[in-house]
Amino acid sequence: MKKISRGSHQGLLKNREETKRLNTEALWQQVQRLRKEKPNTLWSYKEVWQGAGLKSNVALNSPWNASIKEAVAEHNRLLREQAESGTAGQTQRKTLRITNKELRNQIKQLKIEHEKALSKMAIWEAEADFYQRDNERLQRKINRLLETE
């Protein structure tokens, strides 16, 4: 039988480095394309790795591609800041996702305020009941003292 060579360790490492390089280049090209095509919309990570022709987000989540994720996050952060600031930001369309998130945050704040108000009302009612009972007790005491005189 003839032995078939299955490659060397150095060959595997070289192939891995080449794959890393190609994936990184494809991801950067997709980021550049998105900068040209969609400068005023939010980018999803899925849009980046799928647009780069990758089958999963593994390459994008790799530590050596952290700069690409940072570029996407920075772009989205800048868009959100522009949307929140001044009249120029108000003229830009906000996505439904941002609007829904803001509404959820407002609902959460209103619930917190509602719970605080309810707890204050409960405390005031408890104090009112306490002082009313105390008043009735003292009134009975005064009446007893007046009767004994």
Side-chain angles (χ1 to χ4, degrees):
M1 290 185 106
K2 193 174 182 184
K3 289 187 178 180
I4 299 174
S5 175
R6 297 190 182 217
S8 65
H9 183 69
Q10 286 80 20
L12 290 173
L13 291 176
K14 185 178 176 184
N15 183 38
R16 182 176 179 204
E17 291 301 318
E18 181 65 17
T19 303
K20 278 186 193 180
R21 187 184 63 76
L22 291 174
N23 288 345
T24 302
E25 286 176 5
L27 289 168
W28 271 118
Q29 287 174 356
Q30 177 62 13
V31 168
Q32 296 301 326
R33 187 178 313 122
L34 287 173
R35 283 184 180 153
K36 290 178 186 172
E37 295 173 4
K38 298 182 176 182
N40 295 326
T41 59
L42 294 176
W43 305 337
S44 68
Y45 292 117
K46 185 175 184 178
E47 186 177 19
V48 173
W49 63 259
Q50 274 186 338
L54 301 177
K55 294 181 181 177
S56 71
N57 63 347
V58 173
L60 184 60
N61 290 337
S62 304
W64 57 86
N65 287 330
S67 59
I68 295 170
K69 282 187 89 168
E70 181 61 32
V72 173
E74 182 68 17
H75 169 79
N76 291 342
R77 185 187 63 77
L78 288 174
L79 278 180
R80 286 188 182 108
E81 283 180 4
Q82 288 174 357
E84 292 173 359
S85 65
T87 57
Q90 291 175 356
T91 58
Q92 292 182 353
R93 253 183 55 204
K94 290 184 180 180
T95 63
L96 289 176
R97 182 179 287 175
I98 293 174
T99 305
N100 286 340
K101 186 175 182 180
E102 289 174 354
L103 290 174
R104 275 190 228 108
N105 288 338
Q106 287 178 357
I107 289 171
K108 193 183 296 183
Q109 287 296 93
L110 289 173
K111 281 183 180 180
I112 290 171
E113 291 175 14
H114 182 257
E115 289 173 4
K116 284 182 183 178
L118 287 177
S119 67
K120 285 181 181 180
M121 286 173 53
I123 291 171
W124 291 333
E125 286 180 6
E127 287 179 348
D129 288 344
F130 170 77
Y131 288 120
Q132 188 175 13
R133 284 191 307 269
D134 195 35
N135 186 19
E136 290 171 359
R137 181 186 60 81
L138 291 173
Q139 193 66 37
R140 285 192 306 267
K141 186 175 182 179
I142 290 172
N143 288 341
R144 277 194 310 265
L145 289 174
L146 288 176
E147 290 175 0
T148 56
E149 289 182 4

